[in-house]
Amino acid sequence: MLGRRHIALCAVVAMLGACSPGGAAVSATSSTSAVTTSAPPATSPATATAVSRAASEPTPTTARTTSSTSSASAPVTTSRSSSTAVGTTPTVPAATAATATPAPVPPSPTPAADQSLALLQDSFSLLTEKFFKPLNSKDLLSVAWQAAANETRSEGGHTDVAAPKLSGDPAADLAAFSQQYLQLVAGLPGNHSQVAFRAAQQMVGSLHEQHTYFLTPSEAQQFTQQSSGQSNFVGIGVTINAIAPPFLITDVFPNSPAEKAGIHAGDEIVSANGKVLTAATRDQLTAALAGPVGSTVTIDLKPPSGSTREVTVARQEVYEPLLESRVLADHMCYLQLHSFPFADQVLPDGKTVLQELDADLTTCQQAAVTGWILDLRGDPGGADVERFASRFIADGVLSTSRDRLGATYEMAPTGQLFPQQLPLAVLIDGGSASSSEILASAVQDLHRGIIVGTHSAGIVNGTELMPLPMGAMLGVAVEQLLRDTNGGPLDGHPVVPDVTISAQPPTAEQLAAGTDNQITRAAQALAAGNAKNVVPAVPTPAPLMLTDQALERELGPLLPDNSAVPTTTTTKRVDLTIDTLDGYASENPSLGQAKARAIRLGFRGELIRRYGPVDSPDYTVGIGLYSNATGAHDDLAQVYAPGELQNPTETITVVTPATFGDETVARVGTGPNAGSSELTWRHGAVVFDLQFNGNPGDVPFAKMVAVAKAMEALYKDHPVS
């Protein structure tokens, strides 16, 4: 059924780099000195050599990369539409087709000359329809008008155009604004882009909400590259956190030129190409290390002990890993996550973050470690936190989200627990935001582990990222995140550690050993034991549930490849599976009831594939398998048991554009779900769900039917019993 929109959980999306690999980083590049959570995104090309990650505390800015899940993790049962009573037979009632609403007709495209107005109209509509609480149209458009007028004046345009008369009625206000806006920009050359960008920025900024943001076309392109793992830079591949001498190397990236040259964490950079840096500024260090691909830099390094040595390093494209791990001297497994990428996203090293995590945990298991230290310091968040959390948390509510209609969604771990569980400590600081805070608060509330460090950022809400005309993008906080313990908002309420300890600059010896004072304190706390650290037992799989391997084997041949789906952007992805009861239940109003429903319906699992941009996929295909046709029908038709909790309706059933299999249902989203369309059909106990995620007014059923026909051809060749 119509699942969740693609929602990210990142604490700094307005500043590029927040939801990107590497997170909020201080970059020793030739183009930018710092990307923070409150400064505008850097737009010049990065050509750096060294990277340094700052643990600065973010100020309120933006981001929803932190509370809800994407549609890819929503099983076919999480639809937000009307339901029927238990007992309906597995056929489509005749009345359903007879009373279905005709599908909305897409609006006529805006003429190219008015694209700047189209951008503002779309921005206004998305904000007023999707923001997690009602907004005043008069306030929004007053701010937009003032910004547009100021920018027009600065460009030498008309200054005598009267401001629109606004009343607080959204439709009337937008019409009045549009009429006056066209007069305002009439005398300006070009496409009026800067006027529209400035107006949109100010309109969004007036909300003072850190997870709602506007990206210009250049910022949107940079953000897309970063979120897709394409944000590699040119350099030697080291991290330097110091802003003044001594410039100690904090980290060396795996397989980087620095690692191959024998550079180690804890080494001090004394000079570069003969230029002494022991009294240099950070900018001077950056300039000394920067250079084009293939060029070399000769560096004098002073190790923690021993004499200074000279190394020559060739600058190359460098991938900054999202996840790093090592075994510490005290038999602890240290894991550092720099940001939360999408779970199905294949990173530049050819793996997903979960594949990397599983490999790292296995290596630690082989080393006979006695505990895990998960470092989320400086991690601004990201997406699919529920899948990362599933390796450490077996069951329970990670967080609860609520949208503007009052619908609530409980997030559960979605995935398999790592087979060997150990005591867990999580490190946080003022740079830990969004998804980091969801995971840390869940570890604390569910007594899964202890939290060590300083308080987190307190920046948590759920953002949906949507394209705008002219290549811009808009992120809208569509859901408010709540902490499960008391139902209070996570946003504005930092996670408070169980063990508070401020960070101290690590010594060269500590860096060489891969530790610092907070890591040491976390290891001590784990070694001492803690009543809050309840190590979960690996749960027994539900009797009917298939493994992820079995789901891929049974349902994988039915998923269309990229060539069959009408999207202009292809991203290298893996398929996602729903292979636990918690995975089915996640994003429902009651986890307990939803898990009972999964058992009642005979749910056996689901395979999911997303298509399009990694940060905002156009299409999502899910194929669910049930033990019998009745259970499959009841989920497709949204048949609920008496007393089963349901959220407010956010879809309408429309006349099906085509019929497939035993029954077919078409739905379009309304309210916060506006812009989503869904085509769902069934063959016996197999349910096919095709979702489109766009902007309000987008209803591409003709294209969806073509995809569905391609899927039908695959089913004919690979029938599933």
Side-chain angles (χ1 to χ4, degrees):
M1 302 308 141
L2 193 61
R4 309 305 304 281
R5 296 300 305 273
H6 197 81
I7 298 182
L9 305 175
C10 190
V12 194
V13 195
M15 337 301 86
L16 297 209
C19 282
S20 65
V26 172
S27 178
T29 75
S30 63
S31 62
T32 176
S33 59
V35 178
T36 71
T37 62
S38 57
T43 56
S44 53
T47 57
T49 17
V51 166
S52 137
R53 185 173 301 104
S56 58
E57 183 168 343
T59 57
T61 64
T62 101
R64 155 28 176 292
T65 342
T66 160
S67 108
S68 333
T69 64
S70 66
S71 58
S73 60
V76 293
T77 186
T78 60
S79 165
R80 303 179 178 181
S81 57
S82 58
S83 60
T84 52
V86 170
T88 306
T89 57
T91 58
V92 179
T96 300
T99 60
T101 303
V105 177
S108 300
T110 305
D114 299 337
Q115 283 296 289
S116 70
L117 175 59
L119 182 148
L120 291 174
Q121 290 173 333
D122 284 2
S123 298
F124 173 81
S125 298
L126 291 169
L127 288 170
T128 54
E129 292 180 16
K130 289 178 172 289
F131 193 68
F132 69 85
K133 57 184 178 182
L135 299 175
N136 185 292
S137 61
K138 182 178 180 180
D139 293 342
L140 281 178
L141 292 176
S142 293
V143 171
W145 176 261
Q146 188 62 53
N150 290 341
E151 179 62 27
T152 300
R153 186 178 300 110
S154 71
E155 296 183 20
H158 295 301
T159 58
D160 56 351
V161 178
K165 295 181 179 180
L166 306 174
S167 63
D169 176 80
D173 286 350
L174 184 58
F177 176 91
S178 300
Q179 181 177 5
Q180 297 306 103
Y181 177 85
L182 291 177
Q183 295 183 38
L184 182 70
V185 300
L188 291 179
N191 61 5
H192 322 137
S193 60
Q194 292 307 312
V195 178
F197 296 165
R198 184 60 56 88
Q201 288 166 341
Q202 293 300 312
M203 183 164 52
V204 167
S206 70
L207 302 180
H208 303 291
E209 203 290 318
Q210 302 178 70
H211 299 76
T212 301
Y213 50 90
F214 172 81
L215 300 179
T216 65
S218 60
E219 293 167 350
Q221 182 180 24
Q222 185 181 347
F223 176 78
T224 299
Q225 289 175 341
Q226 291 175 329
S227 61
S228 63
Q230 300 172 11
S231 58
N232 296 3
F233 60 90
V234 175
I236 63 172
V238 301
T239 298
I240 303 168
N241 280 351
I243 59 175
F247 292 119
L248 299 176
I249 293 175
T250 306
D251 191 20
V252 178
F253 301 163
N255 301 313
S256 66
E259 183 184 63
K260 295 173 183 176
I263 297 176
H264 304 289
D267 288 346
E268 177 189 352
I269 297 180
V270 177
S271 69
N273 285 339
K275 181 178 178 60
V276 177
L277 300 171
T278 52
T281 65
R282 178 53 183 266
D283 289 344
Q284 290 171 333
L285 170 71
T286 299
L289 296 178
V293 173
S295 63
T296 61
V297 56
T298 299
I299 306 172
D300 286 335
L301 298 168
K302 181 181 178 181
S305 60
S307 57
T308 300
R309 70 186 189 280
E310 180 182 280
V311 298
T312 298
V313 189
R315 301 178 180 96
Q316 301 294 335
E317 276 202 4
V318 175
Y319 164 64
E320 184 180 10
L322 292 180
L323 180 67
E324 298 181 78
S325 70
R326 55 182 174 267
V327 176
L328 303 178
D330 47 13
H331 304 292
M332 295 293 171
C333 178
Y334 174 80
L335 304 156
Q336 184 176 25
L337 184 68
H338 298 307
S339 67
F340 289 78
F342 295 98
D344 59 347
Q345 176 183 347
V346 178
L347 302 173
D349 65 354
K351 299 178 182 178
T352 67
V353 70
L354 291 179
Q355 290 170 340
E356 292 181 352
L357 177 60
D358 289 340
D360 290 346
L361 291 175
T362 299
T363 298
C364 287
Q365 179 182 10
Q366 293 169 348
V369 299
T370 58
W372 292 328
I373 299 174
L374 176 60
D375 191 347
L376 300 179
R377 292 175 296 178
D379 185 331
D384 293 342
V385 58
E386 71 282 4
R387 289 189 175 271
F388 193 91
S390 69
R391 297 303 192 260
F392 307 98
I393 300 174
D395 194 14
V397 178
L398 301 179
S399 70
T400 301
S401 58
R402 180 172 58 206
D403 68 18
R404 64 183 294 135
L405 297 184
T408 58
Y409 304 92
E410 293 185 344
M411 181 195 295
T414 303
Q416 296 290 339
L417 199 68
F418 188 73
Q420 182 195 41
Q421 289 292 297
L422 296 173
L424 173 66
V426 178
L427 290 171
I428 61 171
D429 66 3
S432 307
S434 290
S435 292
S436 295
E437 296 180 278
I438 288 177
L439 180 52
S441 64
V443 167
Q444 193 172 58
D445 294 344
L446 298 173
H447 303 291
R448 174 57 188 92
I450 55 174
I451 310 301
V452 180
T454 57
H455 68 76
S456 64
I459 303 176
V460 192
N461 269 333
T463 298
E464 183 181 337
L465 188 62
M466 293 155 286
L468 292 173
M470 308 180 82
M473 300 186 84
L474 182 69
V476 180
V478 296
E479 292 176 352
Q480 182 182 39
L481 270 293
L482 310 174
R483 188 164 181 170
D484 184 57
T485 49
N486 54 21
L490 278 166
D491 195 52
H493 296 81
V495 178
V496 179
D498 301 305
V499 179
T500 299
I501 177 171
S502 299
Q504 297 175 357
T507 65
E509 289 76 16
Q510 286 176 318
L511 289 173
T515 188
D516 58 36
N517 69 308
Q518 291 177 316
I519 296 174
T520 299
R521 185 65 184 88
Q524 292 170 346
L526 286 176
N530 190 297
K532 293 184 178 181
N533 209 325
V534 179
V535 178
V538 177
T540 302
L544 295 176
M545 200 70 66
L546 297 177
T547 64
D548 57 350
Q549 296 93 338
L551 287 169
E552 188 69 54
R553 184 174 59 252
E554 289 288 322
L555 304 178
L558 307 182
L559 291 171
D561 59 27
N562 287 324
S563 63
V565 180
T567 180
T568 57
T569 304
T570 58
T571 302
K572 193 173 182 181
R573 289 189 168 104
V574 299
D575 298 335
L576 296 173
T577 58
I578 303 293
D579 56 356
T580 65
L581 292 177
D582 276 284
Y584 176 96
S586 187
E587 302 300 325
N588 275 273
S590 167
L591 288 184
Q593 288 189 8
K595 286 194 283 188
R597 173 181 173 81
I599 294 172
R600 174 171 63 82
L601 297 179
F603 178 73
R604 304 194 66 193
E606 184 178 5
L607 191 64
I608 299 163
R609 184 175 294 175
R610 299 190 281 213
Y611 303 82
V614 67
D615 48 18
S616 185
D618 303 311
Y619 290 88
T620 300
V621 172
I623 304 177
L625 185 61
Y626 299 76
S627 60
N628 55 68
T630 300
H633 161 77
D634 285 356
D635 223 1
L636 182 152
Q638 300 170 352
V639 177
Y640 288 88
E644 210 166 62
L645 287 178
Q646 301 173 53
N647 276 320
T649 299
E650 295 185 11
T651 65
I652 57 173
T653 300
V654 299
V655 174
T656 57
T659 57
F660 303 101
D662 301 321
E663 57 181 313
T664 306
V665 176
R667 297 184 177 93
V668 295
T670 61
N673 236 9
S676 294
S677 303
E678 179 189 37
L679 192 61
T680 308
W681 67 100
R682 178 178 63 83
H683 283 282
V686 184
V687 174
F688 299 80
D689 187 60
L690 171 61
Q691 297 178 24
F692 170 80
N693 294 322
N695 288 346
D698 296 339
V699 189
F701 273 133
K703 295 179 180 179
M704 295 175 71
V705 167
V707 176
K709 288 180 178 178
M711 294 172 64
E712 284 289 280
L714 293 173
Y715 181 76
K716 182 178 180 180
D717 293 338
H718 304 277
V720 177
S721 58

